[in-house]
Amino acid sequence: MEETVRIGGRCTQHPANRILKTDISCKQDINFCQKDQKGLEVFLHSLSLASPPLALSPHFCVQASFLAHRQEEMAAGETQLYAKVSNKLKGRSTPLLLEPLLAMGFPVHTALKALAATGRKTAEEALVWLHDHGNDPSLDDPIPQEYALFLCPTGPLLEKLQEFWRESKRQCAKNRAHEVFPHVTLCDFFTCEDQRVECLYEALKRAGDRLLGSFPTAVPLALHSSISYLGFFVNGSPADVIREFAMTFATEASLLADCSVKPCTKQLHLTLAHKFYPHHQRTLEQLARAIPLGHSCQWTAALYSRDMRFVHYQTLRALFQYKPQNVDELTLSPGDYIFVDPTQQDEASEGWVIGISQRTGCRGFLPENYTDRASESDTWVKHRMYTFSLATDLNSRKDSEASSRCSGEFLPQTARSLSSLQALQATVSRKSVLVVRHGERVDQIFGKSWLQQCSTPDGKYYRPDLNFPCSLPRRSRGIKDFENDPPLSSCGIFQSRIAGDALLDSGIRISSVFASPALRCVQTAKLILEELKLEKKIKIRVEPGIFEWTKWEAGKTTPTLMSLEELKEANFNIDTDYRPAFPLSALMPAESYQEYVDRCTASVVQIVNTCPQDTGVILIVSHGSALDSCTRPLLGLPPRECGDFAQFVRKIPSLGMCFCEENKEEGKWELVNPPVKTLTHGANAAFNWRNWISSN
């Protein structure tokens, strides 16, 4: 009777997963293992662990014994290569971590690589890494990790810095500093062979012990600001001690680990912002000054490593699980990190990228919309830390920290973070106005006769093209009132939603919304609020004063617009208590340019004054002309010449934006970068398949 045993649970390419037979047919497996040293080790080890015990033929036992002896001879050469390493690491933790991996059949260099890649924490983590990297084509490549030493704050100061990170990103967009956690660089990145990493830990300990008594109890930080850099400088004698620590570590690492380490001997600094827009400098400075530096801080020297192959790659984080549909695609699990080389994306189809999985080391295609951008340091591995404290008894420090937590000396982290964030926001709160043009409307695409294309003789609406909306709201006078008050097209609805989603990602806080009474503007405002998850919390204030220049409207009368009651009936969350600067009845047909400018000026002044307590962003959804007529009064600029105004408005696309911030210190408003990028897309012409058939 033939009996089989399967070892492990992974793919059959790994030697540990082959089906082993107890018959003379095992000869085939033995012959295969002659060429696979690791496979033979695992093969023989598995037989000894099999349950029930396997009955093996004498012929098989002789062959197995012979090959086991041969395997020992083959391994001798490899063992000699690492003899020096073993002697150096004798008495340290490496044998405890390395031996279980070697016993499972992994080569020494592969096991050391796994330990280095996981921070040499446990053999279990290294084993998981090896299993995940079973198909990694670079598994046997002698590529070491890169290491760097950082001085990192902890406790309350770290929390304040992390709040600054979040708030600066929300108010001023992402900059280079957001790629890494708060730190002072002590040594630049350097390479260290996998078998010598344990020596780096010893170098860190020796350097820390030598400087422990003289390390400053408080590290003074001085704010420094320039047009492209903001950070804290470390000066005086504390900086000299920290530099001495960095140089001591570099010396010890050179002696013990044979590494070339360059310590940072110039100005020590903790970067807060780098490579930011110049107009954000003032806001960033105010945020930085709100960081209290009086808190005591325990500093730690942390040793990190990274994969040197992907230093200049983009880093993506998988948001969803993805099961490959083709052999050249990557398997994704939520939280996986993917390295993407921007210069190697030519062969990828639209919506796809080519990347290398950090978890498996495999390369393949993946859907880009299953991922999000991640920070460079998210993929770094923390190895060891040295915490500077005058209390040398680590256990007493732990007991003290535990008793402090139990006695309620510190607030819960969530409450503390929330209160600090509110304090930061209050310090730098600025009134802002975001003016947005509505999305694409149907008559833009289908011309003035659009209504005839989508209405039946009895006045009912139908959808002749996918870019027509699915339905129209009900109007008291019927469908004909849409002729000069057209709705958004399907693309216009999509544009509005994607803009709202981008605003949500930017972290912008909308506090109030004003919209022109034109249906397309109210629709755009509603769709943006829906994506911001604010459609139930913020009511739309309809302001006729920001309606389009009536000279550009067709006919000798102002267009018939939907009433507030009709809008509410159509499920728009309208603020019926709002009193506009210009009632709808005050709009004059074919008004002059000066009358239009005066109307918009009065309206935007009232809008800003209506929200005196709001510290968030006032959203104005109007027409392309509003990006000029509703911002120039705030900026203190005179109106454009009428001809220039018309040329300017023609160039404004759907969902075009202008963003103004109030500068209270200088008593004026400034035009700043909008919180989201523009949406650019191409035309899609109509297609009639009958004409195409006849022409062929």
PDB file of all heavy atoms in Angstrom, residues 236-257:
ATOM      1  N   GLY A 236      24.433  74.538  20.539  1.00  0.00           N
ATOM      2  CA  GLY A 236      25.118  74.564  21.822  1.00  0.00           C
ATOM      3  C   GLY A 236      25.764  73.251  22.205  1.00  0.00           C
ATOM      4  O   GLY A 236      25.990  72.349  21.387  1.00  0.00           O
ATOM      5  N   SER A 237      26.058  73.132  23.503  1.00  0.00           N
ATOM      6  CA  SER A 237      26.742  71.938  24.009  1.00  0.00           C
ATOM      7  C   SER A 237      25.932  70.661  23.837  1.00  0.00           C
ATOM      8  O   SER A 237      26.526  69.590  23.595  1.00  0.00           O
ATOM      9  CB  SER A 237      27.108  72.147  25.484  1.00  0.00           C
ATOM     10  OG  SER A 237      25.942  72.428  26.252  1.00  0.00           O
ATOM     11  N   PRO A 238      24.572  70.681  23.958  1.00  0.00           N
ATOM     12  CA  PRO A 238      23.830  69.439  23.694  1.00  0.00           C
ATOM     13  C   PRO A 238      24.074  68.897  22.286  1.00  0.00           C
ATOM     14  O   PRO A 238      24.181  67.684  22.098  1.00  0.00           O
ATOM     15  CB  PRO A 238      22.365  69.856  23.889  1.00  0.00           C
ATOM     16  CG  PRO A 238      22.427  70.996  24.846  1.00  0.00           C
ATOM     17  CD  PRO A 238      23.674  71.734  24.477  1.00  0.00           C
ATOM     18  N   ALA A 239      24.177  69.808  21.316  1.00  0.00           N
ATOM     19  CA  ALA A 239      24.446  69.361  19.949  1.00  0.00           C
ATOM     20  C   ALA A 239      25.822  68.711  19.855  1.00  0.00           C
ATOM     21  O   ALA A 239      26.009  67.725  19.129  1.00  0.00           O
ATOM     22  CB  ALA A 239      24.333  70.536  18.984  1.00  0.00           C
ATOM     23  N   ASP A 240      26.797  69.236  20.601  1.00  0.00           N
ATOM     24  CA  ASP A 240      28.142  68.652  20.577  1.00  0.00           C
ATOM     25  C   ASP A 240      28.140  67.235  21.138  1.00  0.00           C
ATOM     26  O   ASP A 240      28.829  66.344  20.612  1.00  0.00           O
ATOM     27  CB  ASP A 240      29.101  69.535  21.386  1.00  0.00           C
ATOM     28  CG  ASP A 240      29.284  70.913  20.754  1.00  0.00           C
ATOM     29  OD1 ASP A 240      29.090  71.023  19.528  1.00  0.00           O
ATOM     30  OD2 ASP A 240      29.595  71.863  21.493  1.00  0.00           O
ATOM     31  N   VAL A 241      27.365  67.003  22.204  1.00  0.00           N
ATOM     32  CA  VAL A 241      27.293  65.666  22.797  1.00  0.00           C
ATOM     33  C   VAL A 241      26.643  64.689  21.821  1.00  0.00           C
ATOM     34  O   VAL A 241      27.091  63.549  21.664  1.00  0.00           O
ATOM     35  CB  VAL A 241      26.510  65.717  24.124  1.00  0.00           C
ATOM     36  CG1 VAL A 241      26.328  64.300  24.688  1.00  0.00           C
ATOM     37  CG2 VAL A 241      27.224  66.592  25.132  1.00  0.00           C
ATOM     38  N   ILE A 242      25.596  65.131  21.144  1.00  0.00           N
ATOM     39  CA  ILE A 242      24.901  64.259  20.190  1.00  0.00           C
ATOM     40  C   ILE A 242      25.818  63.930  19.013  1.00  0.00           C
ATOM     41  O   ILE A 242      25.842  62.797  18.532  1.00  0.00           O
ATOM     42  CB  ILE A 242      23.596  64.937  19.721  1.00  0.00           C
ATOM     43  CG1 ILE A 242      22.637  65.097  20.901  1.00  0.00           C
ATOM     44  CG2 ILE A 242      22.934  64.121  18.619  1.00  0.00           C
ATOM     45  CD1 ILE A 242      21.394  65.910  20.578  1.00  0.00           C
ATOM     46  N   ARG A 243      26.576  64.912  18.560  1.00  0.00           N
ATOM     47  CA  ARG A 243      27.534  64.642  17.478  1.00  0.00           C
ATOM     48  C   ARG A 243      28.590  63.636  17.926  1.00  0.00           C
ATOM     49  O   ARG A 243      28.998  62.752  17.156  1.00  0.00           O
ATOM     50  CB  ARG A 243      28.212  65.938  17.033  1.00  0.00           C
ATOM     51  CG  ARG A 243      27.311  66.906  16.286  1.00  0.00           C
ATOM     52  CD  ARG A 243      28.134  68.012  15.647  1.00  0.00           C
ATOM     53  NE  ARG A 243      27.295  69.101  15.188  1.00  0.00           N
ATOM     54  CZ  ARG A 243      27.023  70.197  15.882  1.00  0.00           C
ATOM     55  NH1 ARG A 243      27.567  70.362  17.095  1.00  0.00           N
ATOM     56  NH2 ARG A 243      26.239  71.138  15.399  1.00  0.00           N
ATOM     57  N   GLU A 244      29.034  63.773  19.168  1.00  0.00           N
ATOM     58  CA  GLU A 244      30.034  62.840  19.691  1.00  0.00           C
ATOM     59  C   GLU A 244      29.465  61.427  19.730  1.00  0.00           C
ATOM     60  O   GLU A 244      30.174  60.453  19.419  1.00  0.00           O
ATOM     61  CB  GLU A 244      30.475  63.278  21.095  1.00  0.00           C
ATOM     62  CG  GLU A 244      31.578  62.408  21.676  1.00  0.00           C
ATOM     63  CD  GLU A 244      31.988  62.837  23.078  1.00  0.00           C
ATOM     64  OE1 GLU A 244      31.486  63.876  23.552  1.00  0.00           O
ATOM     65  OE2 GLU A 244      32.792  62.119  23.704  1.00  0.00           O
ATOM     66  N   PHE A 245      28.203  61.300  20.103  1.00  0.00           N
ATOM     67  CA  PHE A 245      27.558  59.984  20.108  1.00  0.00           C
ATOM     68  C   PHE A 245      27.533  59.399  18.689  1.00  0.00           C
ATOM     69  O   PHE A 245      27.827  58.218  18.491  1.00  0.00           O
ATOM     70  CB  PHE A 245      26.145  60.107  20.659  1.00  0.00           C
ATOM     71  CG  PHE A 245      25.289  58.893  20.404  1.00  0.00           C
ATOM     72  CD1 PHE A 245      25.491  57.722  21.110  1.00  0.00           C
ATOM     73  CD2 PHE A 245      24.294  58.915  19.436  1.00  0.00           C
ATOM     74  CE1 PHE A 245      24.714  56.590  20.868  1.00  0.00           C
ATOM     75  CE2 PHE A 245      23.507  57.804  19.188  1.00  0.00           C
ATOM     76  CZ  PHE A 245      23.727  56.631  19.907  1.00  0.00           C
ATOM     77  N   ALA A 246      27.177  60.232  17.703  1.00  0.00           N
ATOM     78  CA  ALA A 246      27.123  59.757  16.319  1.00  0.00           C
ATOM     79  C   ALA A 246      28.502  59.323  15.842  1.00  0.00           C
ATOM     80  O   ALA A 246      28.648  58.282  15.169  1.00  0.00           O
ATOM     81  CB  ALA A 246      26.566  60.853  15.416  1.00  0.00           C
ATOM     82  N   MET A 247      29.534  60.074  16.181  1.00  0.00           N
ATOM     83  CA  MET A 247      30.891  59.708  15.758  1.00  0.00           C
ATOM     84  C   MET A 247      31.365  58.445  16.465  1.00  0.00           C
ATOM     85  O   MET A 247      32.061  57.617  15.867  1.00  0.00           O
ATOM     86  CB  MET A 247      31.843  60.880  16.030  1.00  0.00           C
ATOM     87  CG  MET A 247      31.606  62.070  15.100  1.00  0.00           C
ATOM     88  SD  MET A 247      32.828  63.389  15.275  1.00  0.00           S
ATOM     89  CE  MET A 247      32.356  64.070  16.862  1.00  0.00           C
ATOM     90  N   THR A 248      30.971  58.281  17.725  1.00  0.00           N
ATOM     91  CA  THR A 248      31.350  57.065  18.451  1.00  0.00           C
ATOM     92  C   THR A 248      30.702  55.838  17.822  1.00  0.00           C
ATOM     93  O   THR A 248      31.347  54.793  17.654  1.00  0.00           O
ATOM     94  CB  THR A 248      30.925  57.185  19.923  1.00  0.00           C
ATOM     95  OG1 THR A 248      31.530  58.340  20.509  1.00  0.00           O
ATOM     96  CG2 THR A 248      31.343  55.946  20.704  1.00  0.00           C
ATOM     97  N   PHE A 249      29.442  55.965  17.474  1.00  0.00           N
ATOM     98  CA  PHE A 249      28.767  54.848  16.816  1.00  0.00           C
ATOM     99  C   PHE A 249      29.449  54.513  15.485  1.00  0.00           C
ATOM    100  O   PHE A 249      29.652  53.343  15.150  1.00  0.00           O
ATOM    101  CB  PHE A 249      27.297  55.178  16.569  1.00  0.00           C
ATOM    102  CG  PHE A 249      26.607  54.188  15.667  1.00  0.00           C
ATOM    103  CD1 PHE A 249      26.191  52.959  16.143  1.00  0.00           C
ATOM    104  CD2 PHE A 249      26.396  54.480  14.318  1.00  0.00           C
ATOM    105  CE1 PHE A 249      25.570  52.030  15.315  1.00  0.00           C
ATOM    106  CE2 PHE A 249      25.775  53.561  13.474  1.00  0.00           C
ATOM    107  CZ  PHE A 249      25.369  52.329  13.977  1.00  0.00           C
ATOM    108  N   ALA A 250      29.790  55.538  14.704  1.00  0.00           N
ATOM    109  CA  ALA A 250      30.434  55.311  13.414  1.00  0.00           C
ATOM    110  C   ALA A 250      31.763  54.583  13.592  1.00  0.00           C
ATOM    111  O   ALA A 250      32.102  53.663  12.824  1.00  0.00           O
ATOM    112  CB  ALA A 250      30.641  56.638  12.694  1.00  0.00           C
ATOM    113  N   THR A 251      32.519  54.968  14.624  1.00  0.00           N
ATOM    114  CA  THR A 251      33.807  54.320  14.878  1.00  0.00           C
ATOM    115  C   THR A 251      33.622  52.861  15.285  1.00  0.00           C
ATOM    116  O   THR A 251      34.310  51.961  14.783  1.00  0.00           O
ATOM    117  CB  THR A 251      34.563  55.078  15.984  1.00  0.00           C
ATOM    118  OG1 THR A 251      34.752  56.441  15.573  1.00  0.00           O
ATOM    119  CG2 THR A 251      35.917  54.437  16.244  1.00  0.00           C
ATOM    120  N   GLU A 252      32.687  52.616  16.211  1.00  0.00           N
ATOM    121  CA  GLU A 252      32.440  51.253  16.664  1.00  0.00           C
ATOM    122  C   GLU A 252      31.910  50.377  15.529  1.00  0.00           C
ATOM    123  O   GLU A 252      32.288  49.209  15.394  1.00  0.00           O
ATOM    124  CB  GLU A 252      31.442  51.262  17.827  1.00  0.00           C
ATOM    125  CG  GLU A 252      31.948  51.933  19.088  1.00  0.00           C
ATOM    126  CD  GLU A 252      33.022  51.119  19.788  1.00  0.00           C
ATOM    127  OE1 GLU A 252      33.208  49.944  19.422  1.00  0.00           O
ATOM    128  OE2 GLU A 252      33.695  51.659  20.685  1.00  0.00           O
ATOM    129  N   ALA A 253      31.023  50.937  14.697  1.00  0.00           N
ATOM    130  CA  ALA A 253      30.474  50.163  13.577  1.00  0.00           C
ATOM    131  C   ALA A 253      31.559  49.811  12.576  1.00  0.00           C
ATOM    132  O   ALA A 253      31.550  48.722  11.979  1.00  0.00           O
ATOM    133  CB  ALA A 253      29.364  50.955  12.893  1.00  0.00           C
ATOM    134  N   SER A 254      32.511  50.710  12.397  1.00  0.00           N
ATOM    135  CA  SER A 254      33.615  50.436  11.479  1.00  0.00           C
ATOM    136  C   SER A 254      34.500  49.310  12.004  1.00  0.00           C
ATOM    137  O   SER A 254      34.941  48.444  11.245  1.00  0.00           O
ATOM    138  CB  SER A 254      34.437  51.706  11.277  1.00  0.00           C
ATOM    139  OG  SER A 254      35.557  51.458  10.458  1.00  0.00           O
ATOM    140  N   LEU A 255      34.746  49.309  13.321  1.00  0.00           N
ATOM    141  CA  LEU A 255      35.607  48.290  13.908  1.00  0.00           C
ATOM    142  C   LEU A 255      34.918  46.933  13.990  1.00  0.00           C
ATOM    143  O   LEU A 255      35.506  45.900  13.669  1.00  0.00           O
ATOM    144  CB  LEU A 255      36.053  48.734  15.307  1.00  0.00           C
ATOM    145  CG  LEU A 255      36.979  49.958  15.369  1.00  0.00           C
ATOM    146  CD1 LEU A 255      37.199  50.373  16.809  1.00  0.00           C
ATOM    147  CD2 LEU A 255      38.307  49.660  14.691  1.00  0.00           C
ATOM    148  N   LEU A 256      33.668  46.923  14.425  1.00  0.00           N
ATOM    149  CA  LEU A 256      32.979  45.665  14.691  1.00  0.00           C
ATOM    150  C   LEU A 256      32.340  45.062  13.442  1.00  0.00           C
ATOM    151  O   LEU A 256      32.369  43.847  13.243  1.00  0.00           O
ATOM    152  CB  LEU A 256      31.900  45.881  15.758  1.00  0.00           C
ATOM    153  CG  LEU A 256      32.386  46.311  17.145  1.00  0.00           C
ATOM    154  CD1 LEU A 256      31.199  46.591  18.047  1.00  0.00           C
ATOM    155  CD2 LEU A 256      33.274  45.244  17.759  1.00  0.00           C
ATOM    156  N   ALA A 257      31.724  45.918  12.627  1.00  0.00           N
ATOM    157  CA  ALA A 257      30.950  45.424  11.482  1.00  0.00           C
ATOM    158  C   ALA A 257      31.612  45.692  10.148  1.00  0.00           C
ATOM    159  O   ALA A 257      31.043  45.347   9.102  1.00  0.00           O
ATOM    160  CB  ALA A 257      29.551  46.050  11.487  1.00  0.00           C
TER     161      ALA A 257
END
